[in-house]
Amino acid sequence: MRTLKLKKEKLDTFLFKVSKHGELWGPRKKGEVYIYDKIDDIKDLIKEPVTTFLPIKKLFLPPRFQMFHYNGKTYEENTEIFQQRIVYGVPSCEIHSLLIFDRVFGHTYKDPYYFKRREQTTIIALSCLPRESCFCKSTNTHVIEEGFDLAMTDLNDFYLVWVGTSKGDDLIRLSPDLFDRNVTQEDIREFIEWRERRNNEFNQTIDFVAIPDLMDLNYNSPIWEEFAEKCLSCGACSMVCPTCNCFDVIDEIELSDGSVKRERYWDSCMFKEYSMVAGGHNFREAKAERLKLWYTHKLHSFTGAYGKPSCIGCGRCIITCPVDINILSVVKALLTGKVDKNSLLTRKSK
Amino acid sequence: MSNPFSPEPARIVRKYKLTKDVKFFQIRFIDKERALSFEYRPGQFMMFSIPGTGEAPFSISSTPSRPGLLEFCIRKTGRLTEALFRLKENDEIGIRGPYGNGFPIIKMNGYHLFIIMGGLGAAPLRSLLLYTLDNRELFGRLHLLYGAKRPKDMLFKTEFFEFIEREDIECLLTVDKDDTGKWPCYKGFVNSLFQRIEDIKPDNTYACVCGPPVMYESVLNELVKLNIPKHQILMTLERRMKCGIGKCGHCAIEDIYTCIDGPIFTYWDVLHMKELI
Ligand SMILES: Cc1cc2nc3c(=O)[nH]c(=O)nc-3n(C[C@H](O)[C@H](O)[C@H](O)COP(=O)(O)OP(=O)(O)OC[C@H]3O[C@@H](n4cnc5c(N)ncnc54)[C@H](O)[C@@H]3O)c2cc1C
Ligand code: SF4
Ligand code: SF4
Ligand code: FES
């Protein structure tokens, strides 16, 4: 892969150039949290790596959007012209979540709504150092080899810039003079040191190797009932998890002209209605069953289908669940056979 | 990029009552070319779309060996099926599909087939039944075992009564309760019909089962007693489905999507996957 260098103080100039090429998106502060948003003023952009409240999936699978408009005769596909977007600041774990989505939305039938947004978006990944709840080294999602157009590694006074695709190369060509082609031995050493430091900074490690087997073995374990007693079925875990892709579809009738909008919106398998079929029969009436489904998807299913868990180690469930049911507390319970009561319900500060 | 979520325009050609709450629908793609070239396998399903109400999956009841028309039998249970029942002959409706794995008919060639159904289970299995009869030389013996609550609840009665006299199918019909006093066939649950079946070569048999959950247990018991291999016992499972194409997650069980990897599973799959029944 081609690598270049970009001086720290040149980043703004580069992103300003980029913003003329398409809409610039990236993390900005909103109240107490960071969110991915359209950046109108480069001053608003957070240049350091952060964990946003909602993950990058919202750009490709918006929380709610229109699929069709039915005009009384035909279903018109929502051909909203998407602007070219360039997203800055996507961490490597979230790049992995997009690679997982590419498979989910691409297998057997291609989901045009997802892939159109994917094609219209250029991604500038940004290296990060682990925050308190991160454990992407355990999920092996702390390094990226594909799924980005440019990737930047922050090495003190410059960024190492990896050019992943020709779309990424186009961005470089907007202002080639900003980049230095001369990567020295000194730079490489600095990069290696940075990697070491990053790898040593994780305060969470999970050994995922035995987890699928433990999921199987603990299928009827009382731990699920214990978690279920606490779970509020609020669905927050699904909203913030970068690899939750479930949606529901609803028709809205326009009162003015009787036309119909068919819309797609995020759903959660934690909601009670999720598995209800005709006549009110529910395959997952019990909360424990729904929790099992969620954690089977994160920890088990994907190991069968794709050879690795679908958890990317971003830590959002740890930050978000109001009663501390999360990958860590569940894995701990799977390993020890009991739920650590002290770890539940003790709301940690973020 | 073609849009797999796009319903295609179709027309209700005929619609009539089968039982108190089940109606039969004949549907045809409006595009002539599409109507005649549409291919599917017995056991597959279509998503029906009614603007303002939504979408729902229904099994195809007709056989691909008789192209042109698609047939369905549909029970009224809620919002979408009520809206569907209100539509009249000649009205337009959106359909997309076919979806699901369908029956492995190539693998089943040369085998003795047991088609075992209860209640609305006739919907997907009628497709396989008619297909087998249209391609009779491709299969071995053919048994139809069908149970309904009462005589008036039996779907396709006239059609199935004709089979009783045919030589190329052994047709056993039963009702739980005969409230007419004139029922000409058997009485009792479907599993009671097994005592009338002789000379089975289990390794050379496929059993296809679809019916209400209560029926499965007793029927599966009988099939296992007959030594039919678990991977040759096929059953269709119902799950909530919102997309039919493996995207919405609603039909997921462990690492499979019922809409793509199912709705037809072997008995072994069912035993193997904890959540399946
Ligand atoms: C593969 C498959 C094949 C089917 N074949 C037939 C058939 O041939 N004949 C027949 O009468 N019924 C069939 N069903 C069941 C049929 O899809 C439901 O009866 C129908 O969705 C009920 O919709 P409703 O809006 O009338 O009911 P409601 O109870 O009002 O449904 C509310 C919502 O739940 C969803 N829903 C409810 N039950 C089901 C269900 N079982 N599967 C999927 N979504 C559901 C609907 O999409 C709807 O949006 C099949 C289901 C599946 C999964
Ligand atoms: S696990 Fe936590 S976040 Fe998820 S539904 Fe239950 S209470 Fe809400
Ligand atoms: S399960 Fe938790 S840590 Fe894993 S990807 Fe989802 S939100 Fe992130
Ligand atoms: S119905 Fe949507 S994934 Fe199967």
Side-chain angles (χ1 to χ4, degrees):
Chain A
M1 202 176 305
R2 209 151 58 91
T3 26
L4 308 165
K5 288 191 319 192
L6 176 69
K7 282 241 166 57
K8 269 272 170 75
E9 63 270 20
K10 303 266 176 69
L11 179 66
D12 275 13
T13 323
F14 173 58
L15 291 177
F16 184 76
K17 278 271 186 195
V18 161
S19 71
K20 301 289 150 216
H21 186 66
E23 279 177 8
L24 179 65
W25 284 64
R28 74 173 177 82
K29 188 121 197 193
K30 188 178 183 212
E32 290 296 295
V33 296
Y34 298 105
I35 62 166
Y36 284 112
D37 204 358
K38 186 164 169 275
I39 303 293
D40 294 319
D41 185 341
I42 261 185
K43 283 204 294 296
D44 294 339
L45 181 73
I46 308 288
K47 275 135 202 143
E48 298 73 42
V50 288
T51 302
T52 53
F53 177 61
L54 292 180
I56 194 75
K57 73 174 175 187
K58 77 166 194 187
L59 270 76
F60 303 98
L61 182 70
R64 191 173 183 119
F65 68 92
Q66 186 181 327
M67 303 172 76
F68 294 103
H69 179 257
Y70 182 78
N71 57 14
K73 193 84 192 114
T74 50
Y75 293 86
E76 293 161 353
E77 189 182 323
N78 179 17
T79 46
E80 180 190 331
I81 308 294
F82 302 108
Q83 285 284 336
Q84 277 289 340
R85 294 181 299 197
I86 300 103
V87 203
Y88 165 86
V90 186
S92 54
C93 64
E94 293 196 62
I95 300 285
H96 281 273
S97 76
L98 290 178
L99 292 173
I100 289 174
F101 270 15
D102 287 351
R103 285 162 151 170
V104 172
F105 290 119
H107 86 81
T108 322
Y109 300 89
K110 230 175 162 195
D111 184 337
Y113 301 100
Y114 173 81
F115 282 102
K116 240 182 238 163
R117 288 178 170 85
R118 212 50 180 112
E119 281 157 22
Q120 303 284 353
T121 310
T122 308
I123 292 180
I124 306 178
L126 179 65
S127 67
C128 49
L129 294 171
R131 287 167 292 284
E132 198 194 346
S133 44
C134 296
F135 56 96
C136 56
K137 188 156 172 280
S138 307
T139 49
N140 208 17
T141 50
H142 60 315
V143 280
I144 41 173
E145 279 149 15
E146 51 169 340
F148 57 86
D149 300 291
L150 292 180
M152 315 212 320
T153 312
D154 181 346
L155 297 177
N156 299 324
D157 53 343
F158 68 94
Y159 294 101
L160 210 53
V161 180
W162 313 74
V163 187
T165 64
S166 87
K167 245 161 70 177
D169 190 57
D170 291 344
L171 294 187
I172 303 285
R173 279 167 200 277
L174 294 173
S175 43
D177 300 343
L178 295 175
F179 295 87
D180 179 356
R181 264 145 239 282
N182 183 26
V183 177
T184 63
Q185 280 304 318
E186 177 66 22
D187 300 334
I188 294 171
R189 195 154 345 108
E190 224 175 300
F191 173 66
I192 293 171
E193 273 166 25
W194 170 83
R195 273 179 58 142
E196 296 266 295
R197 194 168 77 240
R198 192 256 329 259
N199 291 353
N200 288 329
E201 269 185 31
F202 287 93
N203 51 20
Q204 322 272 8
T205 29
I206 302 179
D207 182 3
F208 278 101
V209 176
I211 296 297
D213 288 342
L214 288 177
M215 280 297 291
D216 272 341
L217 292 167
N218 279 299
Y219 195 79
N220 295 315
S221 157
I223 61 167
W224 298 110
E225 272 310 321
E226 288 186 48
F227 282 122
E229 269 170 37
K230 300 275 190 266
C231 175
L232 312 169
S233 301
C234 67
C237 47
S238 300
M239 305 300 134
V240 302
C241 179
T243 65
C244 273
N245 63 287
C246 293
F247 61 80
D248 205 341
V249 178
I250 193 165
D251 281 11
E252 294 272 4
I253 303 173
E254 209 79 70
L255 289 174
S256 54
D257 60 355
S259 70
V260 172
K261 282 194 299 187
R262 179 160 294 168
E263 295 187 322
R264 197 160 135 175
Y265 62 96
W266 289 359
D267 197 1
S268 168
C269 60
M270 292 300 205
F271 296 147
K272 189 164 175 186
E273 303 73 25
Y274 186 80
S275 299
M276 187 120 70
V277 297
H281 179 64
N282 194 331
F283 286 95
R284 300 190 185 94
E285 179 80 33
K287 261 190 244 170
E289 296 304 314
R290 305 204 292 275
L291 276 163
K292 267 189 239 179
L293 177 70
W294 207 92
Y295 282 96
T296 301
H297 176 248
K298 296 303 158 206
L299 297 171
H300 189 301
S301 303
F302 260 64
T303 53
Y306 301 122
K308 51 183 177 187
S310 77
C311 170
I312 54 150
C314 73
R316 282 185 177 81
C317 54
I318 301 173
I319 300 168
T320 308
C321 173
V323 295
D324 290 338
I325 300 170
N326 56 50
I327 284 281
L328 280 183
S329 55
V330 168
V331 165
K332 213 160 143 194
L334 288 172
L335 288 168
T336 60
K338 51 179 188 287
V339 179
D340 179 0
K341 291 258 166 42
N342 298 327
S343 76
L344 293 189
L345 269 176
T346 45
R347 212 52 206 97
K348 284 177 303 236
S349 58
K350 279 182 207 147
Chain B
M1 210 181 294
S2 75
N3 190 334
F5 293 96
S6 272
E8 295 180 66
R11 192 181 299 291
I12 299 176
V13 177
R14 275 186 87 196
K15 168 194 169 201
Y16 58 84
K17 199 167 141 174
L18 287 176
T19 68
K20 193 168 121 271
D21 56 354
V22 179
K23 282 203 159 99
F24 182 72
F25 289 82
Q26 274 186 334
I27 288 173
R28 193 184 168 91
F29 283 106
I30 288 183
D31 186 284
K32 263 205 200 101
E33 211 33 54
R34 180 76 171 137
L36 289 172
S37 62
F38 185 73
E39 288 177 7
Y40 61 95
R41 276 189 302 280
Q44 287 192 297
F45 64 92
M46 304 288 291
M47 292 296 283
F48 278 46
S49 173
I50 300 184
T53 309
E55 293 191 295
F58 297 100
S59 309
I60 307 175
S61 273
S62 49
T63 162
S65 45
R66 302 176 199 174
L69 285 173
L70 292 171
E71 296 173 340
F72 301 86
C73 40
I74 294 172
R75 175 161 51 210
K76 187 159 82 175
T77 57
R79 256 166 53 82
L80 188 124
T81 42
E82 271 162 25
L84 192 58
F85 272 44
R86 279 196 298 274
L87 293 179
K88 292 189 269 310
E89 287 181 0
N90 234 3
D91 279 351
E92 257 191 49
I93 177 178
I95 55 175
R96 57 185 178 91
Y99 298 130
N101 54 358
F103 287 101
I105 37 179
I106 304 289
K107 272 202 213 157
M108 290 155 72
N109 277 190
Y111 282 77
H112 173 184
L113 298 193
F114 265 112
I115 296 179
I116 305 163
M117 56 211 201
L120 200 59
L125 286 180
R126 177 174 175 265
S127 177
L128 179 67
L129 180 67
L130 298 183
Y131 180 86
T132 315
L133 288 169
D134 284 353
N135 296 280
R136 198 62 197 85
E137 68 288 356
L138 294 180
F139 300 91
R141 276 168 80 190
L142 175 61
H143 267 98
L144 169 64
L145 279 61
Y146 183 18
K149 277 206 189 92
R150 292 157 305 181
K152 65 175 176 224
D153 298 314
M154 185 162 281
L155 304 172
F156 305 111
K157 238 182 324 226
T158 13
E159 198 170 303
F160 295 164
F161 274 175
E162 283 177 29
F163 296 158
I164 295 177
E165 297 205 347
R166 275 174 77 152
E167 294 297 324
D168 56 353
I169 172 170
E170 294 158 74
C171 173
L172 309 175
L173 308 177
T174 183
V175 292
D176 302 349
K177 213 174 108 198
D178 176 20
D179 53 358
T180 62
K182 292 185 184 159
W183 176 246
C185 306
Y186 301 103
K187 275 170 237 153
F189 297 124
V190 186
N191 53 310
S192 66
L193 296 172
F194 280 87
Q195 59 194 356
R196 306 182 189 281
I197 292 166
E198 283 157 9
D199 304 327
I200 304 298
K201 295 194 186 68
D203 288 338
N204 197 38
T205 302
Y206 262 100
C208 307
V209 192
C210 185
V214 286
M215 193 192 90
Y216 280 108
E217 198 176 338
S218 57
V219 166
L220 290 170
N221 251 331
E222 296 292 338
L223 294 171
V224 172
K225 260 197 269 171
L226 288 174
N227 285 323
I228 298 175
K230 290 195 271 295
H231 60 272
Q232 283 167 214
I233 301 175
L234 305 171
M235 43 207 287
T236 76
L237 296 184
E238 196 175 298
R239 277 294 182 277
R240 187 171 182 149
M241 291 183 185
K242 288 292 176 180
C243 72
I245 55 175
K247 309 297 173 214
C248 76
H250 277 264
C251 71
I253 308 167
E254 296 199 353
D255 54 357
I256 59 141
Y257 288 112
T258 321
C259 64
I260 288 190
D261 307 307
I264 291 154
F265 293 96
T266 69
Y267 185 35
W268 166 247
D269 293 331
V270 172
L271 291 174
H272 185 62
M273 283 181 281
K274 297 194 179 69
E275 239 202 327
L276 225 42
I277 34 179

